[in-house]
Amino acid sequence: MRMVDLIEKKRDGKELTKEEIQFIIKGYTEGSIPDYQMSSLAMAIFFQGMTENERAELTMAMVHSGDTIDLSAIEGIKVDKHSTGGVGDTTTLVLGPLVAAVGVPVAKMSGRGLGHTGGTIDKLESVPGFHVEIDNDEFMKLVNENKIAVIGQSGNLTPADKKLYALRDVTGTVNSIPLIASSIMSKKIAAGADAIVLDVKTGAGAFMKDLEDSKELAKAMVSIGNAVGRNTMAVISDMSQPLGRAIGNALEVQEAIDTLRGEGPEDLQELCLTLGSYMVYLAKQATSLEEARTKLEEVIRSGKALETFKTFLAAQGGDASVVDNPNALPQAKYKFELEAKEDGFVSEIVADAVGTAAMWLGAGRATKESEIDLAVGLMLNKKIGDEVKKGESLVTIYSNQEDVEQVKQKLYDSITISKDKVEAPTLIYATITE
Ligand code: URA
Ligand code: CA
């Protein structure tokens, strides 16, 4: 086989076979296929697309380009959740203990990464003593005992995706639905998921800004999952403004605790119940979505969800007393209020810009080397549709620096107040179950 022939085949809109896709991914991972040929192929895929078969084969070829995690020592159906990202998305912190409390095994492998706030591990590390440096056996044992554990990313998972994603980033080929879908799905499958729930964000603060594109991406991923034997469902949810109210590491842990207690922000609570219902259903811990939701509501009401969170924290060295005593979480030195300059209704909160403001405070990493300040961040006191009076606080800024003028200006620029009444945005636009 010659790569040039396969590039021409795709350029002309023909379907690549399983063997051809395996040849490409193997060659590219090993280095026998150079970047210039791979980027040419990526561009051909960008314009010609891929059939359902090609997408499934590409996904599995990338899964097998490196290590895969074997979770078979854990009892039950392992359901993983993936979010396409957004600002202040606290769902992972809530969903883990929430679905574990009804018996779904949560074997979470997580990372740190770049962004407006830290990753799930950074957030959890705001609980004093909590750590993810456990070995594989300990990890499996904890999931079997408590139904939930989190471990840091290790092993060489999907090296083909790492290399290809970096190449796409500099060749104008990131924005291709088949390439995005196979990239995301390959990582979940390599990490050992039997079933997958996807939270595809849409709106100004999302990777996919357009609802139709978001739906298409969701359908592509659900179809790949089902084609390769992993039951997959997707929810399209709003990211026209940040989810919940907290954006920051310790602040989001606090928000997760509130939500597990049934006292969290309405949008976060609702999205977690929806995504959680799919997870419980796919894990076969309920025979219908309604039954799944009832079970989740029950563990919130009874306190079992919070108990599960405490057990999980303690099992990994964390101080579980933070659940009842928020002061035990890292606290910022200063607190400032962003006061509304006029009366009206909040009509826009540009999620990306708010995220950037949180990052300037130190809540996230701009580069791999940056240090995260776990205590700092933002609390949105108003969301789209809320009425506001001049002088009322729109946002509380938690900072360890005394001068937050730049942050305030950024926030003023990203929050619009209109004279006319505004409706709160739709939270869940669609569910894709196929
Ligand atoms: N996220 C991924 O993991 N892969 C993509 O290709 C795009 C977004
Ligand atoms: Ca949040």
Side-chain angles (χ1 to χ4, degrees), residues 87-90 242-247 252 255 268:
V87 179
D89 183 0
T90 315
L243 184 68
R245 298 190 177 277
I247 303 150
E252 287 185 42
E255 183 170 62
L268 178 61

Side-chain angles (χ1 to χ4, degrees), residues 75 93 187 193 234 344:
E75 299 141 25
L93 287 178
K187 284 179 277 222

